[in-house]
């Protein structure tokens, strides 16, 4: 789990589009190997952060089933952009799954976007 060590949730604003402000920990051990001279948030960590934010919002453990439109648009350096915002929409489906879409942004730059389906654990 990355929440509370790799990143922290700073604010949640629920609405038609929910906005969750987060702050990265630029001193996390992950950056020692990815990469020591220029830290980069791994794509798999961005996907995991999105899932963990959804779990907080839904108060449910989730498992990623499929991602139909996963994109990484810019390199995310935690020293340059430690404070970011997830903008997301999600809804429960009749089959018990959860559909979600969202982006991760900071200072006008989009780093990550997804349209994904999760099962409830």
């Amino acid at each position: 789990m990355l929440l509370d060590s790799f990143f922290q949730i700073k604010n949640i604003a629920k609405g038609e589009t929910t906005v969750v402000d987060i702050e990265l920990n630029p001193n996390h051990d992950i950056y020692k190997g990815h990469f020591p001279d220029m830290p980069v948030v791994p794509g798999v960590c961005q996907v995991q952060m999105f899932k963990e934010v959804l779990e907080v919002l839904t108060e449910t453990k989730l498992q990623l089933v499929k991602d139909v439109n996963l994109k990484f648009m810019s390199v995310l350096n935690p020293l340059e952009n430690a404070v970011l915002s997830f903008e997301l929409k999600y809804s429960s489906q009749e089959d018990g799954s959860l559909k979600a879409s969202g982006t991760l942004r900071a200072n006008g730059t989009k780093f990550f976007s997804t349209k994904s389906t999760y099962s409830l654990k």
Side-chain angles (χ1 to χ4, degrees):
M1 299 295 116
L2 300 177
L3 184 59
D4 297 327
S5 63
F6 188 75
F7 78 104
Q8 293 182 344
I9 294 175
K10 293 300 190 178
N11 187 54
I12 297 173
K14 291 187 176 182
E16 184 177 324
T17 298
T18 298
V19 177
V20 179
D21 298 323
I22 66 166
E23 185 171 355
L24 299 173
N25 172 6
N27 298 312
H28 195 277
D29 285 345
I30 285 175
Y31 301 120
K32 291 178 183 173
H34 205 272
F35 297 97
D37 295 329
M38 184 187 161
V40 173
V41 178
V44 68
C45 291
Q46 294 177 56
V47 173
Q48 180 67 22
M49 288 190 306
F50 186 78
K51 180 185 91 95
E52 290 183 27
V53 165
L54 276 172
E55 289 177 333
V56 169
L57 294 172
T58 62
E59 299 178 353
T60 305
K61 290 290 183 188
L62 301 170
Q63 181 173 343
L64 180 63
V65 175
K66 69 178 176 179
D67 208 318
V68 296
N69 196 9
L70 177 62
K71 294 182 181 177
F72 300 98
M73 286 77 124
S74 297
V75 173
L76 177 50
N77 180 327
L79 299 174
E80 296 172 358
N81 292 290
V83 178
L84 304 116
S85 295
F86 277 111
E87 298 169 3
L88 52 128
K89 294 182 180 187
Y90 58 96
S91 62
S92 297
Q93 304 299 297
E94 289 181 15
D95 65 2
S97 64
L98 181 87
K99 292 209 182 255
S101 62
T103 59
L104 180 61
R105 301 175 190 262
N107 302 316
T109 300
K110 188 188 296 186
F111 295 99
F112 159 89
S113 70
T114 183
K115 288 185 182 175
S116 46
T117 303
Y118 296 85
S119 65
L120 286 62
K121 285 188 175 180

